């Protein structure tokens, strides 16, 4: 009798206590388990799923504080369709997102390849390369605002010393303002992605390269035929994460250009924020958010799908 | 051959140093500017190194500006959010990894799904929600610590990451402890938590980092200067003082330093975190 009970405790992990008498205990047991989950899950679900439902609700309402929402049907949606500024903000966001993604990932890959070579002090370099990733968007943007300052910025000083007589006023030029936003975004992005790429590169088995060398492959060949395919999964991961992050950019824009000049750097989330909180059209802001939602959802879903497939 | 190798080395070090200047240079420039007199800041050609160090710039931003309050607010917000996330997420992760109960898989799927909700788009409905929280007065949790902290404190990612880690701890330990008469909470507290310090540290660091650097949500919740967090205050400070670059850079340095200290002291943990993010999904 005694040995039997012992073994049931040791082996049947999922229901350590035999049936019947313990049925009441089992529910007490479950209740205990739910208490572990309850605080985190209730908070998380309340502030993740309820807002989505609320978003749908608000999008059919005019909501101007301090009044309560009033139902207006599809008015917000028809307003959205003819809202040229919104479409411009979407376009700006796309330019920024793809620009900073390509530039940032390309730079990160190049630097990771460099770091992947054996040389003394590479650890030192690696540690410092990550610095921009731990400082905020606001601080990064402030530093570059100062560097690109028209009158006193060190960038214009460099440019005049190499003979460019009158450098432009970067952030007041619609084209250059966007270029600088992309530059600052990719600067942070590259810093963040270098260690991830490096981990990928270090994970490529040395034997692949050795085998290729025996077959007479040169460095370039090895890079295209072995390195690039091996780090493809990680690159896709970084790409998707970069799209998700960049699409929601606000802080860099707020500090550097505030959406100007002439809305040329007004990005989608900034426009949503403006409509909702500066112009007090909270309902319309919800409609805009809801409209963008499927796109970002798709990208994120794709990300989870891709990363679970490589398991 | 040896000569070729040497040239190779030189190229590598040159490139690595150029990149280093690209990533660290801007911070040194920030630091240098923060210690300059107004005269040095206005000097043309720009002075790379200040003629004399004006530490009083830091005293000036520390007294009579919104930055000290904002700095303290950020410390409070980031610390409480980190404590909440580490504690509650690990409790939940423990249950998801090691306890059996009806609906467990469904709930965990829900947790994973929260990771797909884009934060930037949730700002408007979250604002409306916390403004209308019952029994909290006309503006709800707006302009309060509760509003700054609670809606974003718990992250699905923390639960996910901790669960993965807890799954890797041998289950025999639990059974052993159960035989010894431990309650589930004791198993969690005395066995699982002490064995999971690296994972808990990782969650703590990234939660703190995320909250310290948060901009959009804090911008939405903090209505009065008293509730500004450091990023919001910096952005405002910059528009108000846009000529006094030494002060602006002193403010930026002050806000950057805590994260840098954390980064340099806990560097291996940061690295592990990124490796985990990059490849953890893979294995």
């Amino acid at each position: 009798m005694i040995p039997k009970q012992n073994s049931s405790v040791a082996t049947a992990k999922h229901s350590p206590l035999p049936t019947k008498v313990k049925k009441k205990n089992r529910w007490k047991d479950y209740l205990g388990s739910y208490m572990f989950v309850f605080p985190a899950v209730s908070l998380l679900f309340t502030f993740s799923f309820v807002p989505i439902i609320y978003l749908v609700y608000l999008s059919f309402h005019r909501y101007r504080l301090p009044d309560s929402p009033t139902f207006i049907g599809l008015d917000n949606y028809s307003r959205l369709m003819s809202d040229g500024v919104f479409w411009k903000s979407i376009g700006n966001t796309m330019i920024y997102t793809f620009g900073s993604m390509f530039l940032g990932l390309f730079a990160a890959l190049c630097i990771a390849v460099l770091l992947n070579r054996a040389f003394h002090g590479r650890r030192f370099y690696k540690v410092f390369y990550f610095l921009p990733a731990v400082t905020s968007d606001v601080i990064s943007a402030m530093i570059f605002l100062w560097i690109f300052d028209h009158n006193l910025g060190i960038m214009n000083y460099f440019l005049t010393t190499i003979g460019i007589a009158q450098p432009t006023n970067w952030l007041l030029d619609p084209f250059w303002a966007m270029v600088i936003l992309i530059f600052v975004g990719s600067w942070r992005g590259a810093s963040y992605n270098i260690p991830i790429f490096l981990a990928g590169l270090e994970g490529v088995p040395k034997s692949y390269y050795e085998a290729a060398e025996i077959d007479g492959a040169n460095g370039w060949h090895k890079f295209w035929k072995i390195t690039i395919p091996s780090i493809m999964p990680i690159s896709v991961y970084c790409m998707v994460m970069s799209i998700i992050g960049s699409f929601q950019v606000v802080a860099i824009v707020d500090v550097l250009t505030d959406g100007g000049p002439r809305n040329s750097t007004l990005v989608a989330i900034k426009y949503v924020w403006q409509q909702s909180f500066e112009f007090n059209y909270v309902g319309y802001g919800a409609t805009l958010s809801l409209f963008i939602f499927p796109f970002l959802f798709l990208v994120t879903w794709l990300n989870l799908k891709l990363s679970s497939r490589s398991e | 051959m040896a000569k070729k190798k040497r040239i190779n080395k030189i190229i590598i070090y040159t490139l690595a140093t150029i990149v280093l200047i690209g990533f660290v240079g801007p911070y040194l420039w920030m630091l240098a500017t923060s210690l300059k007199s107004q005269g040095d800041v206005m000097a043309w050609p720009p002075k790379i190194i200040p003629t004399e160090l004006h530490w009083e710039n830091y005293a000036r931003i520390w007294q009579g500006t919104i930055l000290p309050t904002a700095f303290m607010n950020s410390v409070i917000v980031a610390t409480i959010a980190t404590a909440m996330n580490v504690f509650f997420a690990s409790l939940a992760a423990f249950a998801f990894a090691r306890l059996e109960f009806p609906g467990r898989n469904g709930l965990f799927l829900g947790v994973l799904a929260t990771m797909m909700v884009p934060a930037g788009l949730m700002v408007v409905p979250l604002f409306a929600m916390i403004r209308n929280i019952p029994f909290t007065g006309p503006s709800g949790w707006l302009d309060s610590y509760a509003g700054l902290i609670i809606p974003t404190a718990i992250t699905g990612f923390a639960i996910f990451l901790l669960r993965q880690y807890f799954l890797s701890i041998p289950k025999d330990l639990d059974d052993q402890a159960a035989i010894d008469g431990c309650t589930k909470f004791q198993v969690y507290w005395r066995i699982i938590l002490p064995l999971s310090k690296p994972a808990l540290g990782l969650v703590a660091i990234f939660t703190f980092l995320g909250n310290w650097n948060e901009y959009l949500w804090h911008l939405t919740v903090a209505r009065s200067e008293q509730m500004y967090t450091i990023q919001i205050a910096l952005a405002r400070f910059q528009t108000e003082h846009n000529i006094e670059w030494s002060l602006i850079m002193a403010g930026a340095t002050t806000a950057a330093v805590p994260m840098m200290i954390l980064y340099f002291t806990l560097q291996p943990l940061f690295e592990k975190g990124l490796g985990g993010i990059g490849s953890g999904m893979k294995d």
Side-chain angles (χ1 to χ4, degrees), chain A residues 4-269:
Chain A
K4 201 182 159 203
Q5 224 181 13
N6 261 348
S7 75
S8 86
V9 170
T11 53
K13 290 164 196 161
H14 303 320
S15 52
L17 303 168
T19 47
K20 211 160 179 190
V21 196
K22 320 292 180 198
K23 191 130 198 193
K24 224 165 83 191
N25 274 347
R26 199 152 95 195
W27 277 104
K28 237 173 102 184
D29 202 55
Y30 290 154
L31 195 68
S33 303
Y34 288 125
M35 276 165 64
F36 277 89
V37 183
F38 181 75
V41 168
S42 59
L43 280 177
L44 191 62
F45 285 8
T46 307
F47 294 114
S48 305
F49 297 140
V50 179
I52 297 176
I53 300 162
Y54 212 30
L55 197 59
V56 178
Y57 169 85
L58 286 173
S59 76
F60 295 110
H61 289 74
R62 173 183 294 112
Y63 189 15
R64 307 205 65 189
L65 297 169
D67 303 335
S68 328
T70 46
F71 183 77
I72 52 165
L74 291 170
D75 281 11
N76 283 330
Y77 288 89
S78 57
R79 180 173 160 197
L80 180 153
M81 286 303 158
S82 55
D83 186 345
V85 183
F86 175 64
W87 295 107
K88 189 172 167 59
S89 78
I90 294 281
N92 291 337
T93 310
M94 300 270 202
I95 296 171
Y96 171 82
T97 301
F98 289 105
S100 62
M101 180 188 79
F102 283 118
L103 191 63
L105 292 191
F106 180 72
L109 179 62
C110 294
I111 297 166
V113 167
L114 176 76
L115 273 179
N116 195 34
R117 307 198 135 214
F119 62 96
H120 278 291
R122 63 190 279 266
R123 239 203 93 68
F124 167 83
Y125 287 106
K126 193 177 149 190
V127 167
F128 279 97
Y129 288 177
F130 194 65
L131 215 48
V134 295
T135 36
S136 69
D137 277 333
V138 173
I139 296 172
S140 308
M142 279 167 69
I143 297 173
F144 282 100
L145 188 66
W146 169 223
I147 288 176
F148 285 103
D149 187 83
H150 183 51
N151 298 313
L152 300 165
I154 197 157
M155 183 52 76
N156 278 356
Y157 172 68
F158 275 134
L159 292 177
T160 46
T161 54
I162 61 167
I164 296 170
Q166 194 50 60
T168 84
N169 193 341
W170 304 101
L171 295 164
L172 290 185
D173 179 287
F175 173 76
W176 286 109
M178 181 53 92
V179 170
I180 295 206
L181 285 186
I182 290 175
F183 172 77
V184 176
S186 13
W187 184 72
R188 284 200 75 209
S191 164
Y192 187 82
N193 284 314
I194 290 167
I196 302 178
F197 272 120
L198 191 60
L201 290 174
E202 282 164 350
V204 184
K206 291 267 186 298
S207 56
Y208 288 10
Y209 293 110
E210 284 156 13
E213 266 163 42
I214 293 167
D215 293 342
N218 61 22
W220 199 237
H221 251 100
K222 282 188 282 185
F223 184 73
W224 278 112
K225 294 275 150 83
I226 300 172
T227 312
I228 292 290
S230 307
I231 60 166
M232 217 47 200
I234 275 187
S235 310
V236 171
Y237 170 82
C238 290
M239 221 160 99
V240 175
M241 291 310 279
S242 167
I243 293 176
I244 296 166
S246 303
F247 207 94
Q248 303 176 68
V249 64
V250 177
I252 295 177
V253 179
D254 271 8
V255 173
L256 279 164
T257 64
D258 203 29
R262 279 174 283 127
N263 289 343
S264 62
T265 60
L266 185 70
V267 289
I269 305 286

